[in-house]
Amino acid sequence: MYLKAQPWNSYGESDEVGAISLFLTHNPIKEIYYGTSPNWGTREEFERNDIHDVDHYVTLRLENGWFRASWLMQGFDEGIALEITDDALPPMGDIQNVSVTESKPWTGLVRLEIENVTFVPHIPDEESSRNLWSVRLDLEEHRSVVVCLGIYREGVIEYHPTNLTVIFSKEIATSYRTPGSRYPAWGR
C-alpha cells in the first residue's frame, strides 16, 4: 500500500487525507527520522529545544507502516505533502536521514499511539489554493507534536515554505501562524 496527499488537496477535505488520518490513528510510533541536507543538523542539536528545525521532512516508522510529512511547492502553492506506506520510505535524493528516536522530547513519545490528527490549512498567496501547512498528532498521555512549515532561528519561528519545524509545546504551537492562516500551527 502507498498513498500520497499533495498539500493542495490535503487540508482535510480529500479521500487521501481521510485515509491517512485513519492509518495514523491508533498506530504507535516506533522510530523517528528527520530528512536534512548534509551538514544541516545532528541528533545532538535536536535535543536542545522544544522546537526542532528539521529542513526537508519528518518520517515516522509506526507499528503498522511508515508516515512522512515533507514540504512541497508548485507555483504559488506551498504546503506539506503526506505519505503513508507499508514499506520503509527511502531518503529523497541527497537528503540524509537523521535518527532522532533517542532525542528529547521524542524519547517520551516513542511507543505511544496516535489518537487524533489535526490538519491546518492556509492560503499562502492570492494566486494559490488552500494548502496544508501544519499537522498536529495527538498522542496517548495527553501529549502532542506539531509538524509545520517554518524555520527556527535564534529562538524565533518564522514562516518559510521550504523548511519544516517540529514543535513539542502547545504554548509555542498556539502562538505561531503563517500570514495566510486563520489558525495557528496547533489548529482550532
Side-chain angles (χ1 to χ4, degrees):
M1 181 234 359
Y2 175 80
L3 181 63
K4 182 172 185 173
Q6 304 291 355
W8 30 92
N9 67 1
S10 61
Y11 57 87
E13 298 174 8
S14 71
D15 291 341
E16 292 91 358
V17 170
I20 289 170
S21 183
L22 190 61
F23 175 84
L24 292 172
T25 305
H26 305 294
N27 206 343
I29 297 171
K30 296 292 191 181
E31 296 176 48
I32 306 95
Y33 299 90
Y34 291 163
T36 65
S37 300
N39 303 315
W40 181 265
T42 64
R43 195 189 83 181
E44 293 76 27
E45 290 178 87
F46 293 124
E47 289 198 26
R48 296 188 204 144
N49 302 303
D50 280 343
I51 303 170
H52 292 178
D53 189 47
V54 174
D55 199 7
H56 292 280
Y57 56 79
V58 176
T59 300
L60 304 179
R61 183 174 75 83
L62 305 167
E63 186 171 280
N64 297 312
W66 295 75
F67 166 74
R68 177 178 285 160
S70 58
W71 64 262
L72 191 62
M73 292 180 67
Q74 177 179 292
F76 292 103
D77 288 321
E78 48 199 40
I80 298 177
L82 307 173
E83 297 173 83
I84 57 171
T85 182
D86 293 331
D87 303 314
L89 288 161
M92 300 169 136
D94 65 346
I95 299 169
Q96 63 183 359
N97 276 343
V98 176
S99 175
V100 292
T101 306
E102 299 296 321
S103 299
K104 295 176 185 173
W106 280 114
T107 54
L109 305 179
V110 173
R111 293 180 295 285
L112 296 181
E113 282 187 10
I114 299 168
E115 293 184 333
N116 186 54
V117 184
T118 300
F119 302 101
V120 185
H122 75 156
I123 301 174
D125 186 272
E126 291 177 3
E127 306 284 328
S128 68
S129 59
R130 190 183 325 198
N131 293 261
L132 175 70
W133 80 275
S134 181
V135 178
R136 186 180 82 231
L137 304 176
D138 295 321
L139 309 171
E140 295 176 295
E141 300 178 7
H142 307 287
R143 309 284 298 272
S144 296
V145 60
V146 173
V147 178
C148 59
L149 293 178
I151 193 163
Y152 180 67
R153 294 285 187 257
E154 299 177 13
V156 177
I157 305 174
E158 296 178 354
Y159 178 67
H160 196 285
T162 60
N163 199 79
L164 289 183
T165 297
V166 176
I167 305 172
F168 299 93
S169 161
K170 181 178 180 180
E171 180 181 345
I172 294 168
T174 55
S175 67
Y176 170 58
R177 76 176 65 223
T178 69
S181 179
R182 289 179 40 202
Y183 304 105
W186 185 263
R188 296 179 193 192

